């Protein structure tokens, strides 16, 4: 139901949506159902974590804690590593209404 990390002011779940005209946009995801012992994949061009208000630039190879808050499972902190994007997703350019 929520994400947080000490390296950014905000951490949000987002999904990329491709419109029928081929353009892409992002929308925030308020909560994401995960079955017991299930998994959800976050990847470029799909579900992803949007960090805003970074407190310092992130570099390839950096690791950061990401705290996940679940409705029933409680709070779990995982370590996330900054990696090269391996997706063929197209850049989305400037998004109206996005906080940068």
């Amino acid at each position: 139901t929520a994400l947080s990390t000490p390296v950014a002011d905000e951490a949000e779940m987002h999904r990329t949506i491709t419109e029928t005209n081929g353009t892409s946009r992002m929308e925030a995801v308020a909560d994401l159902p995960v079955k017991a012992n299930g998994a959800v994949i976050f990847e470029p061009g799909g579900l992803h974590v949007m960090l805003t208000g970074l407190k310092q630039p992130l570099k390839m190879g950096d690791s950061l804690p990401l705290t996940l808050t679940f409705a029933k499972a409680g709070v779990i902190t995982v370590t996330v590593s900054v990696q090269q994007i391996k997706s063929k997703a197209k850049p989305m350019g400037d998004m109206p209404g996005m906080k940068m």
Side-chain angles (χ1 to χ4, degrees):
T1 60
L3 303 171
S4 64
T5 181
V7 303
D9 292 336
E10 292 184 48
E12 298 178 333
M13 295 180 287
H14 281 227
R15 81 174 84 238
T16 303
I17 298 172
T18 302
E19 303 289 347
T20 55
N21 65 4
T23 61
S24 296
R25 65 181 175 86
M26 286 184 280
E27 71 177 17
V29 176
D31 57 25
L32 190 60
V34 181
K35 293 182 181 184
N37 298 313
V40 175
I41 297 173
F42 285 76
E43 60 189 353
L47 286 169
H48 58 277
V49 176
M50 172 74 69
L51 300 178
T52 56
L54 287 174
K55 297 178 181 175
Q56 63 187 31
L58 299 177
K59 299 179 298 292
M60 214 63 81
D62 284 352
S63 293
L64 57 111
L66 182 66
T67 301
L68 314 170
T69 303
F70 294 89
K72 294 182 181 175
V75 175
I76 299 171
T77 300
V78 297
T79 301
V80 177
S81 61
V82 178
Q83 300 178 3
Q84 176 79 27
I85 295 176
K86 297 176 184 174
S87 170
K88 295 181 182 177
K90 296 178 185 176
M92 290 183 282
D94 295 330
M95 303 296 293
M98 281 186 54
K99 296 189 307 186
M100 295 301 244

